[in-house]
Amino acid sequence: MYTITLGGRTHSFADLRTLLAKASPARSGDVLAGVAAASAEERVAAMYALSEVPLSEFLEHPLIPYEADEVTRLILDTHERAAFAPVSGLTVGGLRDWLLAYETGAPELSAVAPGLTPEMAAAVSKVMRNQDLVLVASKCEVVTRFRSTVGLRGRLSVRLQPNHPTDEPRGIAASIIDGLLYGCGDAVIGINPATDSPERVGELLRMLDDLIRTYRIPTQSCVLAHVTTQMAALEAGAPLDLMFQSIAGTEAANSSFGISLGLLGEARRAALGLGRCGPSGNVMYFETGQGSCLSAGAHHGCDQQTLEARAYGVARAFRPLLVNTVVGFIGPEYLADGKQIIRAGLEDHFCGKLLGLPMGVDVCYTNHSEADQDDMDTLLTLLGAAGVNFVMGVPGGDDIMLGYQSSSFHDSHYLRQLLGRRPAPEFEQWLGEMRIQGRDLRLQPIPGQHALLGGHGR
């Protein structure tokens, strides 16, 4: 029982799970789940009470029982006590102070990351303002490598997302070329297939591989089908770079996705077996999103942001090249409006980076949410200041296959120009060699650029 008295009124919270939920900033998903604070006063009381909780209690009192959930077992079994030692005597509020201290920089944050559990990261985020989330995330540096290097300080990468409602190769190719000519694609060229079959996945992977090889593009490809479909395509000889899967923060939610930790390990070993990524071992790409556990009926009475952080605990175990939260994609039942989406995006990015993950964010919303492009511009700008590793590049900012609004190819130029960010170094050099982009980051006129389009330009 956690009890605190504010303004002469006593507030009690039955357990750590309840306390975390009540301290969470207001969002529609927690109301839907029946775990949200009943009032702003109760939320503030929970935040005060949570700030006084010792970090060690998160190790002693798992939110979901150890014996009932393999994600809990993974989090506790891989916890590094030596890394935890520098902050082991702190409370949640004390951790916030330590994170914000001038003396705490990238080396200290990197060293402590394996000692922090997802629940600790979620807890401290709940007692932080937006500016706190931006500042601490900006101190974190998480670098991963395949053909390009993602996450270096002063860099901003982009996933080129050329989805097509019928997987029509010419339509996909046109979007890819458009994105490359805007300097996008250094994180990955990643297609969400409309058809989840090994044959279609294989066709798309071969098309991407041909393009990357022909023009010697320092990037990697991914077709975001179910992990088992990708494994079947791989076994049939498809040239797979990154193995993708959506993941969640509980065993039951992952089971609803048709996956387990064992299956993810098998998939990673299969991708590593191709020997395409070099010594980094960064062959996995994960996507997450607040509300996924609740939508699967697998939230165990926890708030959605804490469960989102637990998904990062899953991702961390597999050394991914890329992780991104598709923050506004699930819909207004979980994040009702622009304010909730902005806060959730900053929380997700902060928690992922704090736990040592190469975080990107799909700055997005669905058309039935109370959000608009101005909200997304605000979130994009804040994430740029926070040092986000990558964002999405979608033709026109409108994904016509998945039916939602995201960031466009143009948006990366806004952020790179505003903040002086550059593409991944290998990709930046390639852009110069192809005369697509000059050293001042501006796009260059390309004589005969129709050749890159296969001779079909005008």
PDB file of all heavy atoms in Angstrom, residues 162-177:
ATOM      1  N   PRO A 162       7.880   3.031 -48.815  1.00  0.00           N
ATOM      2  CA  PRO A 162       7.218   3.156 -50.117  1.00  0.00           C
ATOM      3  C   PRO A 162       6.037   2.199 -50.303  1.00  0.00           C
ATOM      4  O   PRO A 162       5.952   1.470 -51.303  1.00  0.00           O
ATOM      5  CB  PRO A 162       8.349   2.806 -51.079  1.00  0.00           C
ATOM      6  CG  PRO A 162       9.107   1.734 -50.351  1.00  0.00           C
ATOM      7  CD  PRO A 162       8.982   2.050 -48.876  1.00  0.00           C
ATOM      8  N   ASN A 163       5.133   2.181 -49.335  1.00  0.00           N
ATOM      9  CA  ASN A 163       4.033   1.212 -49.373  1.00  0.00           C
ATOM     10  C   ASN A 163       3.101   1.440 -50.558  1.00  0.00           C
ATOM     11  O   ASN A 163       2.919   2.567 -51.014  1.00  0.00           O
ATOM     12  CB  ASN A 163       3.231   1.272 -48.076  1.00  0.00           C
ATOM     13  CG  ASN A 163       4.048   0.895 -46.859  1.00  0.00           C
ATOM     14  OD1 ASN A 163       5.114   0.284 -46.967  1.00  0.00           O
ATOM     15  ND2 ASN A 163       3.559   1.255 -45.683  1.00  0.00           N
ATOM     16  N   HIS A 164       2.487   0.349 -51.008  1.00  0.00           N
ATOM     17  CA  HIS A 164       1.554   0.416 -52.137  1.00  0.00           C
ATOM     18  C   HIS A 164       0.370  -0.502 -51.829  1.00  0.00           C
ATOM     19  O   HIS A 164       0.570  -1.626 -51.337  1.00  0.00           O
ATOM     20  CB  HIS A 164       2.240  -0.024 -53.433  1.00  0.00           C
ATOM     21  CG  HIS A 164       1.451   0.272 -54.668  1.00  0.00           C
ATOM     22  ND1 HIS A 164       0.422  -0.541 -55.096  1.00  0.00           N
ATOM     23  CD2 HIS A 164       1.531   1.289 -55.566  1.00  0.00           C
ATOM     24  CE1 HIS A 164      -0.097  -0.035 -56.197  1.00  0.00           C
ATOM     25  NE2 HIS A 164       0.558   1.076 -56.505  1.00  0.00           N
ATOM     26  N   PRO A 165      -0.863  -0.074 -52.097  1.00  0.00           N
ATOM     27  CA  PRO A 165      -2.035  -0.876 -51.694  1.00  0.00           C
ATOM     28  C   PRO A 165      -2.154  -2.227 -52.382  1.00  0.00           C
ATOM     29  O   PRO A 165      -2.878  -3.098 -51.891  1.00  0.00           O
ATOM     30  CB  PRO A 165      -3.226   0.033 -52.045  1.00  0.00           C
ATOM     31  CG  PRO A 165      -2.694   1.032 -53.006  1.00  0.00           C
ATOM     32  CD  PRO A 165      -1.262   1.225 -52.665  1.00  0.00           C
ATOM     33  N   THR A 166      -1.464  -2.420 -53.511  1.00  0.00           N
ATOM     34  CA  THR A 166      -1.501  -3.726 -54.183  1.00  0.00           C
ATOM     35  C   THR A 166      -0.105  -4.321 -54.373  1.00  0.00           C
ATOM     36  O   THR A 166       0.057  -5.274 -55.127  1.00  0.00           O
ATOM     37  CB  THR A 166      -2.197  -3.628 -55.558  1.00  0.00           C
ATOM     38  OG1 THR A 166      -1.434  -2.760 -56.413  1.00  0.00           O
ATOM     39  CG2 THR A 166      -3.615  -3.101 -55.419  1.00  0.00           C
ATOM     40  N   ASP A 167       0.897  -3.745 -53.701  1.00  0.00           N
ATOM     41  CA  ASP A 167       2.289  -4.206 -53.835  1.00  0.00           C
ATOM     42  C   ASP A 167       2.767  -4.137 -55.285  1.00  0.00           C
ATOM     43  O   ASP A 167       3.609  -4.931 -55.707  1.00  0.00           O
ATOM     44  CB  ASP A 167       2.451  -5.652 -53.316  1.00  0.00           C
ATOM     45  CG  ASP A 167       2.318  -5.748 -51.811  1.00  0.00           C
ATOM     46  OD1 ASP A 167       2.571  -4.737 -51.127  1.00  0.00           O
ATOM     47  OD2 ASP A 167       1.949  -6.829 -51.313  1.00  0.00           O
ATOM     48  N   GLU A 168       2.249  -3.195 -56.053  1.00  0.00           N
ATOM     49  CA  GLU A 168       2.624  -3.082 -57.465  1.00  0.00           C
ATOM     50  C   GLU A 168       4.075  -2.612 -57.576  1.00  0.00           C
ATOM     51  O   GLU A 168       4.430  -1.534 -57.085  1.00  0.00           O
ATOM     52  CB  GLU A 168       1.687  -2.089 -58.153  1.00  0.00           C
ATOM     53  CG  GLU A 168       1.531  -2.316 -59.647  1.00  0.00           C
ATOM     54  CD  GLU A 168       2.708  -1.761 -60.434  1.00  0.00           C
ATOM     55  OE1 GLU A 168       3.135  -0.643 -60.125  1.00  0.00           O
ATOM     56  OE2 GLU A 168       3.197  -2.467 -61.340  1.00  0.00           O
ATOM     57  N   PRO A 169       4.952  -3.411 -58.199  1.00  0.00           N
ATOM     58  CA  PRO A 169       6.383  -3.090 -58.184  1.00  0.00           C
ATOM     59  C   PRO A 169       6.723  -1.718 -58.756  1.00  0.00           C
ATOM     60  O   PRO A 169       7.595  -1.029 -58.215  1.00  0.00           O
ATOM     61  CB  PRO A 169       7.006  -4.216 -59.023  1.00  0.00           C
ATOM     62  CG  PRO A 169       6.043  -5.351 -58.894  1.00  0.00           C
ATOM     63  CD  PRO A 169       4.692  -4.721 -58.825  1.00  0.00           C
ATOM     64  N   ARG A 170       6.063  -1.307 -59.839  1.00  0.00           N
ATOM     65  CA  ARG A 170       6.389   0.004 -60.423  1.00  0.00           C
ATOM     66  C   ARG A 170       6.000   1.140 -59.481  1.00  0.00           C
ATOM     67  O   ARG A 170       6.720   2.129 -59.365  1.00  0.00           O
ATOM     68  CB  ARG A 170       5.694   0.156 -61.777  1.00  0.00           C
ATOM     69  CG  ARG A 170       6.318  -0.691 -62.883  1.00  0.00           C
ATOM     70  CD  ARG A 170       5.488  -0.609 -64.166  1.00  0.00           C
ATOM     71  NE  ARG A 170       5.383   0.755 -64.654  1.00  0.00           N
ATOM     72  CZ  ARG A 170       6.278   1.337 -65.459  1.00  0.00           C
ATOM     73  NH1 ARG A 170       7.352   0.665 -65.849  1.00  0.00           N
ATOM     74  NH2 ARG A 170       6.102   2.570 -65.878  1.00  0.00           N
ATOM     75  N   GLY A 171       4.861   0.989 -58.803  1.00  0.00           N
ATOM     76  CA  GLY A 171       4.460   2.012 -57.848  1.00  0.00           C
ATOM     77  C   GLY A 171       5.420   2.108 -56.678  1.00  0.00           C
ATOM     78  O   GLY A 171       5.775   3.203 -56.234  1.00  0.00           O
ATOM     79  N   ILE A 172       5.849   0.955 -56.169  1.00  0.00           N
ATOM     80  CA  ILE A 172       6.820   0.933 -55.075  1.00  0.00           C
ATOM     81  C   ILE A 172       8.143   1.533 -55.529  1.00  0.00           C
ATOM     82  O   ILE A 172       8.751   2.357 -54.832  1.00  0.00           O
ATOM     83  CB  ILE A 172       7.011  -0.511 -54.569  1.00  0.00           C
ATOM     84  CG1 ILE A 172       5.739  -0.990 -53.853  1.00  0.00           C
ATOM     85  CG2 ILE A 172       8.211  -0.597 -53.625  1.00  0.00           C
ATOM     86  CD1 ILE A 172       5.763  -2.454 -53.482  1.00  0.00           C
ATOM     87  N   ALA A 173       8.592   1.143 -56.719  1.00  0.00           N
ATOM     88  CA  ALA A 173       9.867   1.651 -57.241  1.00  0.00           C
ATOM     89  C   ALA A 173       9.836   3.167 -57.407  1.00  0.00           C
ATOM     90  O   ALA A 173      10.808   3.862 -57.097  1.00  0.00           O
ATOM     91  CB  ALA A 173      10.200   0.974 -58.562  1.00  0.00           C
ATOM     92  N   ALA A 174       8.708   3.694 -57.892  1.00  0.00           N
ATOM     93  CA  ALA A 174       8.598   5.145 -58.064  1.00  0.00           C
ATOM     94  C   ALA A 174       8.734   5.864 -56.730  1.00  0.00           C
ATOM     95  O   ALA A 174       9.408   6.898 -56.625  1.00  0.00           O
ATOM     96  CB  ALA A 174       7.268   5.487 -58.731  1.00  0.00           C
ATOM     97  N   SER A 175       8.094   5.327 -55.691  1.00  0.00           N
ATOM     98  CA  SER A 175       8.192   5.943 -54.365  1.00  0.00           C
ATOM     99  C   SER A 175       9.610   5.852 -53.816  1.00  0.00           C
ATOM    100  O   SER A 175      10.093   6.777 -53.159  1.00  0.00           O
ATOM    101  CB  SER A 175       7.207   5.274 -53.404  1.00  0.00           C
ATOM    102  OG  SER A 175       5.867   5.537 -53.760  1.00  0.00           O
ATOM    103  N   ILE A 176      10.280   4.725 -54.060  1.00  0.00           N
ATOM    104  CA  ILE A 176      11.661   4.569 -53.585  1.00  0.00           C
ATOM    105  C   ILE A 176      12.564   5.603 -54.237  1.00  0.00           C
ATOM    106  O   ILE A 176      13.357   6.280 -53.557  1.00  0.00           O
ATOM    107  CB  ILE A 176      12.178   3.147 -53.857  1.00  0.00           C
ATOM    108  CG1 ILE A 176      11.420   2.129 -52.995  1.00  0.00           C
ATOM    109  CG2 ILE A 176      13.685   3.063 -53.577  1.00  0.00           C
ATOM    110  CD1 ILE A 176      11.761   0.690 -53.314  1.00  0.00           C
ATOM    111  N   ILE A 177      12.468   5.737 -55.560  1.00  0.00           N
ATOM    112  CA  ILE A 177      13.317   6.695 -56.257  1.00  0.00           C
ATOM    113  C   ILE A 177      13.016   8.113 -55.783  1.00  0.00           C
ATOM    114  O   ILE A 177      13.918   8.923 -55.553  1.00  0.00           O
ATOM    115  CB  ILE A 177      13.127   6.578 -57.783  1.00  0.00           C
ATOM    116  CG1 ILE A 177      13.539   5.187 -58.273  1.00  0.00           C
ATOM    117  CG2 ILE A 177      13.944   7.653 -58.507  1.00  0.00           C
ATOM    118  CD1 ILE A 177      14.951   4.784 -57.915  1.00  0.00           C
TER     119      ILE A 177
END
